[in-house]
Amino acid sequence: MSRPRFTNQIVLFLAASAAAILAAYLFWSFEADVRVLLERRMGTDPSPSAATIVAAVKLILLGIVGYLLVRALNFLFFGLAFRLKRIDAPQLIRNIFSIVGFTIFFLVAFTFLFPDVNLGALFTTSAIFGVILGLALQDTLGNFFSGISLQADRPFQVGDVITVGAQRHTGVVEEISWRAIKVRTFTNNVVLIANSTAAKEPIEVFPRDNLNARLVFFNTLYSDSPAKTIHVVREAVREADNVSHKITPVVRIRNLGDNGVDYEVKYWPEDYAKYNDTDALVRQRIWYAFRRAGLNFAYPTRTLHLERHTAAAAMRDGKDGAIVERLSAVDLFAPLSVEETGMLAQAAVRHVFAPGELVIRAGDPGSSMFVLHHGRVRVQVNDNGRPRTVATLNEGDFFGEMALFTGEPRTANVVAVEETEVLEIGHAAMKRIFDNNPDLVESLSFIMAERRQGLASQTDPSVTASQTSAGILSSIKRFFGL
Ligand code: CMP
């Protein structure tokens, strides 16, 4: 409520109170004169008597004063005292206070002014009165008591967002009165839901002081990587207005759909009542983030088919150049000629791994090695049932050579740390290289010896690289028939 309106109301209230009190005072002062005047006008056998009319007018005046008094008390008690304690009294409680207060005041005044009338008998003996009143107030009383139980249960409060009933009326609770719940919808309409209806219907509540989650859906082409999509969308959404910083948005795959991969992003709005705007903003952020990151929304199948063609062609064109560049930067392959590196690139097969996926499992047989094209991996050994990292390898590093060159099982787990792309080179391609470059075997055996030492140093620190490299060299030569 704005200040000037509040002041106007107080002034109006004080003026009305002054007028009512003055009227009551004047009537009481001139009561005797009024009675004489009435008796003179009404003749000898008046019905009702002048005294009854005077008492009725007094009752009306007292009623007005009483009404104003109850309102003043209501304001002082709920408006000021509750506010001081920072409690917002519900409208329904205020109304009940006013009704009960006024009824008591009125009954006391009535008994005082009409001492001959037995009020109790009037109410109890009048069966018809009771039936009429009961029928007339059936719905009203139902709403009233449902309202009281809503206030007692307090399943929601003013300011919460609720969705009520089969028609799913959704909006912010503006008021809970003795008759109905007033809900302002997100199209700025007001829906009044009778308390008795609300008591019977399921109500979904999104409390104002709670972080209620929202889900927004989107999709991508099958050619777009999930790890990249999840990262890009999470970063784009977490910075949007009204998205809570307390919980990081969650992006996950819901379905592998007909047209593409279906995702959902779960985020927590600070102010749930603004979820329509925030959902829209989240979708907008996803669109821009997709643009920057080169990700694609999935179109219907026909368009997807065309897109696929383009993606495959682009991959074919770019493949050889990028792979040759990568392989020629690997130390191990430095002595190779351009033709030999090209041959190796032709034989290499690309694989993509998600963060956390196993590229190599310790103990498995292996007949290929890998060059890390993009991403990062961890080499891990089992330490009493828990993984222990012995090395982290980056782009341009290679791994998996031990099993390939010795024929022994894989010595360690290799796990992708982030989305990782590797180039797999098989036994046949390496044999061709070794046939032409026997020196390569020697430098390789030294690297392998160092890695072996890294693995063994936990159990036997006395093992040295030069001790094992000779053994490895001869076993590679034997294995490859060199
Ligand atoms: P392989 O045994 O075929 O499979 C596991 C791979 O982990 C192994 O080959 C090596 O390439 C790699 N590896 C093992 N130990 C180390 C280490 N200490 N440093 C780097 N890489 C290692």
Side-chain angles (χ1 to χ4, degrees), residues 102-114:
F102 181 74
T103 309
I104 292 172
F105 183 91
F106 188 82
L107 290 178
V108 170
F110 189 92
T111 325
F112 171 72
L113 292 168
F114 297 96

Side-chain angles (χ1 to χ4, degrees), residues 360 379 390-391 393 399-403 409-412 414 451 454-455:
I360 281 179
V379 180
V390 293
L393 304 177
F399 57 91
E401 77 294 343
M402 291 188 179
R410 300 288 191 192
T411 52
V414 178
R451 288 184 170 183
L455 290 176

Side-chain angles (χ1 to χ4, degrees), residues 142-155:
N143 284 328
F144 181 73
F145 287 114
S146 302
I148 290 178
S149 86
L150 276 179
Q151 291 293 351
D153 275 2
R154 286 199 158 250

Side-chain angles (χ1 to χ4, degrees), residues 424-437:
E424 185 177 17
I425 303 167
H427 181 277
M430 283 313 294
K431 178 156 171 40
R432 270 203 303 275
I433 298 293
F434 283 152
D435 285 341
N436 296 339
N437 300 272

Side-chain angles (χ1 to χ4, degrees), residues 65-93:
V65 173
Y67 170 75
L68 293 167
L69 186 73
V70 168
R71 284 206 59 173
L73 283 175
N74 189 320
F75 172 74
L76 286 176
F77 188 55
F78 293 110
L80 294 182
F82 266 57
R83 284 274 156 81
L84 284 181
K85 296 211 157 210
R86 298 197 176 281
I87 306 169
D88 210 0
Q91 194 59 37
L92 185 66
I93 302 291

Side-chain angles (χ1 to χ4, degrees), residues 70 74 78 89-103 144 175-179:
V70 168
N74 189 320
F78 293 110
Q91 194 59 37
L92 185 66
I93 302 291
R94 291 173 144 216
N95 290 348
I96 292 173
F97 175 88
S98 298
I99 292 169
V100 171
F102 181 74
T103 309
F144 181 73
E175 194 187 313
I176 307 166
S177 72
W178 58 272
R179 199 189 79 75

Side-chain angles (χ1 to χ4, degrees), residues 312-324 350 373:
M315 218 169 138
R316 253 198 328 270
D317 294 345
K319 178 185 168 181
D320 290 351
I323 294 181
V324 167
R350 276 166 119 147
H373 195 24

